[in-house]
Amino acid sequence: MPSSPRTTSPTGGLVWFLVLAFVPAWGYVLVARLVLGWSVVDPLVQLPFAFAPAVAAVVVRRWVTREGFADAGLRPRWRKAWPHYLIAWWGPLALTAGTLFAAAVLGLWAPSTSMVGAGGTPWWVTVVGLQALALVITPLYWGEEFGWTSYLRLRLVPHRPWASTLLTGLIWAVWHYPLAFLGYVEFSHVLLGLAVWTASFVLQEILLTWLRLRSGTVWTSSLAHAGNNMVLSLLTATTLAADEGGTLDGIAVTALTLLPMGVACAWITLVRPRYGRRGLSG
C-alpha cells in the first residue's frame, strides 16, 4: 500500500480540527432535536451535522495551518483507482451477504425465496435501488470522509499508522454518540449498544483508510461510506431487525456485521504478498 502522505500540520491544527468538528455538530443536533423538535433521522436535518468534519478540515487546512490541500485526495483518479471504486461500491453488498450468511449459520435467520425488500418490493429491486442510491449520494458522505479519513487519520499519529487508524475510528464513533440519545438509533442496552457501535466504526475506519490510501483519493472511501450506510446498514436492518419483521434487536444486528468486517480487515492487513502486514502504512 502507498505510504501515507507527508504532513506538516502542527498539533494545534488537530486541536482546532477536533473543536470545529465536535462543537458545532453536537450543538446543532442538540438544538435541532431538543429545541426545534426536528427528527435527526431526516436526511435534510442531518446535513449540517454530516458536513461539520469537512468544514473543520477546510478551515484548518486553509486558515489555521495554511498547509493547503495537496494531500487531501480531492482528485477522483478514475483511471488509476477504478478497481478501488468497484471495491468501494460492491464491498458493502458483500459485507451484507456475509452478515446474512453468519446469521443463517448461527441459526438466527432463515433465508426465503419469497423475501421482500423495503415497502414490499422484491428484494432484488431494493438491492439495485440501494446500490444506485449509494452512487448518487456519495458526495454527502464526503462531508465526513474529508474530515476523518482524509485529514485526521493522516495526522493523528503519522508515524504509527495502526494507532492513527484505531484512534480515528474511536473519535469518529464518539462524535456519533449524541445520536444514540436523540432518536437516530435506539439500543435496548445503551452501554452495550455504544460498545458494539464503536467497534463497528473502528472496523469501518480500517476499511475506509485502506481504500483512501490504496486509491489516493477520498472519493473511494466516500463511496464505501455511502454503501455502508445505504446498503449494509439498511439491508441487514430490514432483513434481521425485529422492528422490520426479523427476530434480532439492533445491537445483535450490528454485532453480526462485525464478523464479515473483521474478516475483511484481517484480509487487507495480513494476506501476503500483495497487501502485506503493512496494509495501513505502505
Side-chain angles (χ1 to χ4, degrees):
M1 178 180 296
S3 59
S4 303
R6 290 188 303 166
T7 62
T8 57
S9 175
T11 303
L14 293 177
V15 172
W16 272 107
F17 170 80
L18 291 173
V19 169
L20 292 173
F22 272 79
V23 176
W26 281 16
Y28 166 75
V29 293
L30 289 172
V31 170
R33 183 71 187 98
L34 302 179
V35 177
L36 301 177
W38 297 345
S39 170
V40 293
V41 179
D42 186 334
L44 293 178
V45 174
Q46 294 172 18
L47 284 179
F49 181 79
F51 274 86
V55 172
V58 169
V59 170
V60 171
R61 284 177 176 275
R62 176 65 179 85
W63 290 288
V64 177
T65 63
R66 300 182 184 276
E67 63 201 274
F69 300 87
D71 68 347
L74 288 173
R75 291 178 54 211
R77 297 172 58 87
W78 301 114
R79 294 181 63 181
K80 292 185 177 181
W82 68 265
H84 298 96
Y85 278 105
L86 289 179
I87 294 172
W89 189 26
W90 290 97
L93 186 58
L95 293 176
T96 302
T99 300
L100 297 180
F101 176 77
V105 169
L106 294 172
L108 302 174
W109 172 70
S112 170
T113 56
S114 60
M115 288 192 305
V116 296
T121 58
W123 66 269
W124 65 268
V125 173
T126 299
V127 170
V128 170
L130 291 177
Q131 282 288 101
L133 181 61
L135 283 175
V136 172
I137 66 175
T138 291
L140 302 183
Y141 289 90
W142 174 89
E144 288 190 54
E145 287 306 303
F146 188 72
W148 304 126
T149 308
S150 210
Y151 180 80
L152 182 64
R153 189 273 168 196
L154 298 180
R155 287 158 174 73
L156 197 55
V157 193
H159 302 298
R160 297 178 61 191
W162 265 104
S164 192
T165 301
L166 297 178
L167 285 173
T168 298
L170 288 172
I171 292 171
W172 182 31
V174 172
W175 181 77
H176 281 84
Y177 280 4
L179 299 181
F181 302 93
L182 298 174
Y184 179 77
V185 293
E186 295 183 2
F187 296 123
S188 56
H189 188 291
V190 175
L191 291 181
L192 179 59
L194 289 177
V196 173
W197 212 25
T198 299
S200 174
F201 281 113
V202 171
L203 291 181
Q204 287 184 69
E205 184 58 36
I206 293 173
L207 299 175
L208 295 173
T209 292
W210 181 83
L211 281 169
R212 166 67 179 87
L213 296 182
R214 288 290 298 184
S215 67
T217 174
V218 69
W219 293 105
T220 53
S221 58
S222 300
L223 173 57
H225 191 159
N228 286 344
N229 280 34
M230 293 296 103
V231 179
L232 175 61
S233 295
L234 286 181
L235 286 179
T236 55
T238 55
T239 304
L240 303 173
D243 58 354
E244 296 287 351
T247 60
L248 305 177
D249 66 9
I251 298 176
V253 173
T254 303
L256 282 171
T257 66
L258 301 182
L259 299 178
M261 282 197 287
V263 171
C265 290
W267 182 77
I268 66 174
T269 57
L270 299 177
V271 173
R272 290 175 179 268
R274 184 178 180 185
Y275 298 102
R277 292 182 180 275
R278 297 184 302 159
L280 296 181
S281 57

